[in-house]
Amino acid sequence: MNVWLISAGLLSSSAALLHIGCIYFGASWYRFFGAGEQMALMAEQGSLQPTIITSGIVTVLIVWALYAFSAAGAIVALPFTRMMLILISAVYLLRGIVGFFLIFNPLGRTPDFWLWSSSICLVIALVHIWGLKQSWSSL
């Protein structure tokens, strides 16, 4: 079993759980994690928009976790695993890099949000890439 890909799956799962926490705990969590005041206000007003947006993110993160676990051999093989892990790694890497450029123009979020979330995305990307490199021949 590939420890790096297990770790990648756990990281995506953890991110999904934190997003679920935002849905459950509402505005205070959206604010704490830097989602922006607009998302927090919509959550306070009972709008479904933050829940729908965050649920979409949760779904993507869970699928990404499943692909990492699949590639690690922890669960059943999923289709297109190699291609999906390349795409997942690329998205995490791109999100991490682009976020650093948004620190100075935060688009409704805090500069700290972009700094921390981008750093986390880069770490997750590197864990995926390293795991993918180790499992490449078996995928």
Side-chain angles (χ1 to χ4, degrees):
M1 227 179 276
N2 185 316
V3 174
W4 289 97
L5 288 173
I6 294 289
S7 298
L10 290 172
L11 288 166
S12 291
S13 297
S14 298
L17 287 173
L18 288 173
H19 281 82
I20 290 169
C22 288
I23 294 169
Y24 184 78
F25 293 108
S28 63
W29 275 50
Y30 282 113
R31 282 190 184 97
F32 178 80
F33 287 106
E37 189 59 23
Q38 185 178 5
M39 285 285 275
L41 288 173
M42 286 189 293
E44 283 178 339
Q45 296 166 355
S47 170
L48 285 179
Q49 190 172 352
T51 299
I52 293 167
I53 291 168
T54 309
S55 294
I57 295 168
V58 167
T59 302
V60 168
L61 290 168
I62 289 170
V63 169
W64 288 2
L66 291 173
Y67 268 97
F69 292 140
S70 174
I75 64 170
V76 66
L78 296 175
F80 311 110
T81 301
R82 183 186 283 187
M83 180 186 68
M84 286 300 295
L85 279 178
I86 291 169
L87 291 173
I88 292 164
S89 300
V91 170
Y92 272 125
L93 187 61
L94 185 62
R95 167 56 184 84
I97 292 168
V98 169
F100 286 111
F101 291 98
L102 296 173
I103 289 172
F104 304 105
N105 184 16
L107 304 173
R109 290 172 179 78
T110 65
D112 282 348
F113 167 81
W114 290 113
L115 175 67
W116 284 104
S117 63
S118 297
S119 299
I120 291 166
C121 285
L122 284 177
V123 167
I124 296 172
L126 294 174
V127 171
H128 274 83
I129 291 166
W130 190 255
L132 180 58
K133 181 180 181 239
Q134 288 185 339
S135 293
W136 186 260
S137 63
S138 65
L139 296 176

